Amino acid sequence: MRDVAIIGVGQTPVGEHWESSLRMLAANAIHAALADAGVESADALYVGNAYGTSFSSQSHLGALVADYAGLAGIEALALDAADASGGAALRAGYLAVASGAVETAIVVGVEKSTDTVGSDHVRARNVSLDADFEAIHGATLTAMAALLMRRYMVEHGVELNAFEGFSVNAHGNGSKNPNAMFRNVMKAGSFARSPMIAEPVGLFDSAPDADGAAAVVLTSAERASDLVPQPVRITGSAVATDRFALQERPDMLFLAAANRSAYAAYAQAGISPSDADLFELHDGFTILAALTLEACGFAERGQGCRLALDGQIGLQGALPISTFGGLKSRGNPAGATGVYQAVEAVLQLRGLAGANQVAGARTALIQSLGGLGSTAVTHVLQA
Amino acid sequence: MRDVAIIGVGQTPVGEHWESSLRMLAANAIHAALADAGVESADALYVGNAYGTSFSSQSHLGALVADYAGLAGIEALALDAADASGGAALRAGYLAVASGAVETAIVVGVEKSTDTVGSDHVRARNVSLDADFEAIHGATLTAMAALLMRRYMVEHGVELNAFEGFSVNAHGNGSKNPNAMFRNVMKAGSFARSPMIAEPVGLFDSAPDADGAAAVVLTSAERASDLVPQPVRITGSAVATDRFALQERPDMLFLAAANRSAYAAYAQAGISPSDADLFELHDGFTILAALTLEACGFAERGQGCRLALDGQIGLQGALPISTFGGLKSRGNPAGATGVYQAVEAVLQLRGLAGANQVAGARTALIQSLGGLGSTAVTHVLQA
């Protein structure tokens, strides 16, 4: 298996792009990544997208995006793993280059969420739940996150305000990211006063749906060194799944797929959790941030929130997370989110993260979750 | 890059499965393929599906199908390339095993088409067209196939009855396939009398949408020899795209993606077209069968129909096609079709095709098309 490296990154701002369609967002990110890599084209394109069919009545995004981006002819396929679709596309690109079948691959994640609003938006979003046993009963991802969060609070004796640290960190970091959707620093007391979306999930526990696209260019590590001054190696790549529905899991408060994919990626990279200089995790809900830190070896069970309260997740902390604002503040363009994580980690490892820089970052983890951890995709990136 | 082999195949009958849901069909094919391979599980699952979201409001099929099939935990991702989704999933499985990252992979293609009927069905099917420039104007895949067929007839001076041979061959072969949807042999004169769907595309020029699932189990060729008596090697694998819309193509009557992916696969396998003992091609419309034979090196431009009229595509002909009935008679469960082709080719290469056997088959081509050739996925399988 060949070693694989990222040689270029590109992103659009995250937010409400009324002027741009799905394909336009994707093409903009692709062109930015190709320019960053200093290459004209690539041999293959892997598109991560979760809701193109339900938001925009558009599937078949491999060929569609390749054509619109001026790349018609090349291999192009689309990957879906709900909100982990960006991570899934990165995995596909990694495997294609690692195999030797593909020399240079573009991975783009794209989502156009804001053309569909209200109950139509909820229905469109709900296609990634279990249609026959969850969505049909009116469940939503947020409603199920609320059940999970409540259970966590009861089991571990944790109060609502314990989760505040995740939001404060995300918004503090996002405020310095020009591509972030919400650039407001949280005011003291905002978290406690925030309206409930699905109790106990409040406004600041839940990440906003958004439009956006992010792209990376991959090639073999050997070739990468000749092409760019600062290639970033992908030293670990793994996907795992869990029982699809929360109620089927033997231990609802343990994210088994996050755990399994993280430790597989650590093993491949030859690292342990303490080697990570930063972690772009899937903070779609604050409860997922807490559970992820526990599943991936950074906190004991029930102690995930303590890392945030103790200031360890900040840019100067022991394990900076959501360094550009995470899903919460940068925004969550679902199928693009996993690729945004890769772009942000690359900027950190190149030392080009500006006001969001983690000093001396050499090893970054990124993890993308689909559903409430039904799918987890973990990559280890190293300078 | 490791050599890859197929060690097990499974399929459900193709047709209207009122008693089975999407996940049930997929699990049935997976279990059949695992049993055929004589293995209990696998390390990864790649699901090909085109219309789960629009037909059944269900995406996130990697984790969903893995869970329902009793495989929760393993890597699982879903691939979309419209009606080439099955081919796309096979490509993903091939790359995963070829890279060495995955030891044993299951590839399943699944579609549940018949829960949605009438204009809802047309809208659900149309998500694989260009939503902004084709579907919005009321175009359908069949309507565009009609434009393409008309253009072909005019440019090449071909009459409608020239296409009859493809239907007669498909139904003749399908009549002997217990898994086929339509097992009727065509009566003399049926083609000429068939009602028009979108003139000149008649009932017998167009393949039926259907429910079904097919699966194959892949592992390294080295390991395959220890596991099963008759592994089938994947010696060529390639994906290519074309301009998405017909009107953008410099030569509408040349399937550039089919050509490009076929010749890339031939080159990898070290074969030329004349080495193929059979070809499972994408006969979603008879015009696609003709254009595919021309694009892939089996007929001169404008001569594709001659192969059928001359009897060369029959089981005893120079190039048997659609040996189990093809999309036309076996049926077209869209995202599953590319995997059905793989299953059928494996049965041929093992000499287990029964009444559909091509004598002495050693090399099989399979090709899956998305849209009217916007995406093409070609694999070469060898005994």
Side-chain angles (χ1 to χ4, degrees):
Chain A
M1 192 159 68
R2 300 201 295 185
D3 290 333
V4 178
I6 297 174
I7 58 168
V9 299
Q11 61 181 315
T12 72
V14 176
E16 300 186 13
H17 285 277
W18 301 107
E19 78 294 356
S20 297
S21 69
L22 185 68
R23 75 188 77 185
M24 292 163 75
L25 292 169
N28 289 344
I30 288 169
H31 292 151
L34 287 172
D36 186 46
V39 297
E40 298 269 309
S41 183
D43 306 304
L45 171 70
Y46 302 98
V47 180
N49 172 261
Y51 305 105
T53 298
S54 52
F55 281 147
S56 314
S57 298
Q58 185 67 70
S59 70
H60 203 177
L61 289 179
L64 188 92
V65 169
D67 186 15
Y68 190 76
L71 302 168
I74 69 170
E75 170 166 356
L77 300 173
L79 280 290
D80 165 50
D83 288 29
S85 296
L90 183 60
R91 170 70 170 165
Y94 170 81
L95 290 173
V97 174
S99 74
V102 168
E103 205 53 52
T104 307
I106 303 165
V107 174
V108 65
V110 59
E111 206 71 57
K112 184 75 178 79
S113 300
T114 59
D115 284 348
T116 307
V117 297
S119 60
D120 285 345
H121 186 93
V122 173
R123 265 192 298 276
R125 241 331 197 138
N126 262 6
V127 298
S128 63
L129 301 183
D130 188 319
D132 296 344
F133 297 102
E134 292 176 331
I136 200 169
H137 299 295
T140 64
L141 197 66
T142 308
M144 292 196 302
L147 295 172
L148 190 62
M149 188 169 171
R150 175 70 75 196
R151 175 76 169 263
Y152 184 93
M153 292 166 69
V154 169
E155 293 276 330
H156 294 306
V158 168
E159 299 293 320
L160 196 54
N161 58 14
F163 294 90
E164 181 174 6
F166 292 115
S167 302
V168 170
N169 175 65
H171 277 274
N173 293 342
S175 71
K176 296 177 279 188
N177 174 6
N179 291 308
M181 184 171 191
F182 291 135
R183 299 187 58 193
N184 54 310
V185 175
M186 280 176 66
K187 296 189 187 74
S190 292
F191 185 86
R193 285 194 307 271
S194 70
M196 284 292 144
I197 297 176
E199 198 177 352
V201 172
L203 187 64
F204 288 104
D205 292 299
S206 177
D209 280 7
D211 306 332
V216 298
V217 180
L218 310 180
T219 192
S220 65
E222 191 182 349
R223 193 161 161 269
S225 312
D226 297 334
L227 290 172
V228 294
Q230 291 185 298
V232 168
R233 291 169 300 138
I234 301 178
T235 54
S237 172
V239 181
T241 53
D242 196 351
R243 297 302 304 270
F244 198 82
L246 286 181
Q247 73 272 12
E248 301 290 349
R249 300 181 188 171
D251 180 350
M252 197 186 289
L253 296 179
F254 183 71
L255 295 179
N259 172 268
R260 184 170 168 152
S261 72
Y263 278 87
Y266 300 161
Q268 188 189 349
I271 67 168
S272 60
S274 61
D275 293 318
D277 297 315
L278 63 105
F279 187 5
E280 297 300 337
L281 53 71
H282 194 93
D283 56 345
F285 300 99
T286 51
I287 179 65
L288 288 183
L291 290 174
T292 295
L293 290 170
E294 297 171 19
C296 297
F298 298 100
E300 296 296 316
R301 299 288 300 272
Q303 301 296 313
C305 296
R306 284 242 57 87
L307 287 179
L309 295 173
D310 295 350
Q312 295 186 50
I313 63 170
L315 295 178
Q316 279 82 42
L319 183 74
I321 71 169
S322 306
T323 66
F324 281 85
L327 281 65
K328 178 69 199 79
S329 168
R330 178 242 292 130
N332 180 23
T337 293
V339 188
Y340 272 97
Q341 294 175 327
V343 169
E344 292 162 355
V346 166
L347 293 175
Q348 291 286 2
L349 297 172
R350 286 180 179 171
L352 298 177
N356 299 84
Q357 185 66 48
V358 173
R362 304 287 300 165
T363 298
L365 306 180
I366 62 177
Q367 187 179 69
S368 198
L369 300 183
L372 290 170
S374 308
T375 303
V377 186
T378 307
H379 286 88
V380 179
L381 306 186
Q382 294 189 287
Chain B
M1 193 159 67
R2 300 200 295 184
D3 290 333
V4 178
I6 298 175
I7 57 169
V9 299
Q11 61 181 313
T12 72
V14 176
E16 300 186 12
H17 285 277
W18 301 108
E19 78 294 359
S20 297
S21 68
L22 185 68
R23 75 189 76 186
M24 291 163 75
L25 291 170
N28 288 345
I30 288 169
H31 293 151
L34 288 172
D36 185 45
V39 298
E40 298 269 312
S41 183
D43 306 305
L45 171 70
Y46 303 98
V47 180
N49 173 262
Y51 304 105
T53 298
S54 51
F55 281 146
S56 314
S57 298
Q58 184 68 69
S59 70
H60 204 176
L61 289 179
L64 188 91
V65 169
D67 186 15
Y68 190 74
L71 302 168
I74 69 169
E75 168 166 357
L77 300 173
L79 279 290
D80 166 49
D83 288 29
S85 296
L90 183 59
R91 171 70 171 166
Y94 170 81
L95 291 173
V97 174
S99 75
V102 168
E103 204 54 52
T104 306
I106 303 165
V107 174
V108 66
V110 58
E111 205 72 57
K112 185 75 177 79
S113 301
T114 60
D115 284 348
T116 307
V117 297
S119 59
D120 285 346
H121 187 91
V122 174
R123 265 192 298 277
R125 243 324 196 143
N126 261 8
V127 298
S128 63
L129 300 184
D130 188 318
D132 297 344
F133 298 101
E134 292 177 330
I136 200 169
H137 299 296
T140 64
L141 196 66
T142 308
M144 293 196 302
L147 296 172
L148 190 61
M149 189 170 171
R150 176 69 77 193
R151 174 78 169 262
Y152 184 92
M153 292 166 69
V154 170
E155 293 275 331
H156 294 306
V158 167
E159 299 293 320
L160 195 55
N161 58 15
F163 295 90
E164 180 175 6
F166 293 116
S167 303
V168 170
N169 176 66
H171 277 275
N173 293 341
S175 71
K176 295 176 278 188
N177 174 6
N179 291 307
M181 184 171 192
F182 292 135
R183 299 188 58 193
N184 54 309
V185 175
M186 279 175 66
K187 296 190 187 74
S190 292
F191 185 85
R193 285 194 308 270
S194 71
M196 284 291 144
I197 296 176
E199 199 178 351
V201 172
L203 186 64
F204 287 105
D205 293 298
S206 176
D209 281 7
D211 307 333
V216 297
V217 180
L218 310 180
T219 192
S220 65
E222 191 183 348
R223 193 159 161 269
S225 312
D226 297 335
L227 290 173
V228 295
Q230 290 185 296
V232 167
R233 292 169 300 139
I234 300 178
T235 54
S237 171
V239 181
T241 53
D242 197 351
R243 297 301 305 270
F244 198 82
L246 285 182
Q247 72 272 12
E248 302 289 350
R249 300 181 189 171
D251 180 352
M252 196 186 288
L253 296 179
F254 184 70
L255 295 179
N259 171 268
R260 185 171 169 150
S261 71
Y263 278 86
Y266 300 162
Q268 187 189 349
I271 67 166
S272 61
S274 61
D275 293 319
D277 296 315
L278 63 105
F279 188 4
E280 296 301 336
L281 52 70
H282 194 93
D283 56 345
F285 300 98
T286 51
I287 179 65
L288 288 182
L291 290 173
T292 295
L293 290 171
E294 297 172 19
C296 297
F298 297 100
E300 296 298 314
R301 298 287 300 271
Q303 300 298 313
C305 295
R306 285 241 57 87
L307 288 178
L309 295 174
D310 295 350
Q312 294 186 49
I313 62 171
L315 294 179
Q316 278 81 41
L319 183 74
I321 71 170
S322 306
T323 66
F324 281 87
L327 279 66
K328 178 69 199 78
S329 168
R330 179 240 293 132
N332 180 22
T337 293
V339 188
Y340 272 97
Q341 295 175 327
V343 169
E344 292 162 355
V346 166
L347 293 176
Q348 291 286 4
L349 297 172
R350 287 178 178 172
L352 297 177
N356 299 84
Q357 185 67 46
V358 173
R362 305 287 299 165
T363 298
L365 306 181
I366 62 176
Q367 187 180 68
S368 198
L369 301 183
L372 289 170
S374 308
T375 304
V377 187
T378 307
H379 286 89
V380 178
L381 307 186
Q382 295 189 287

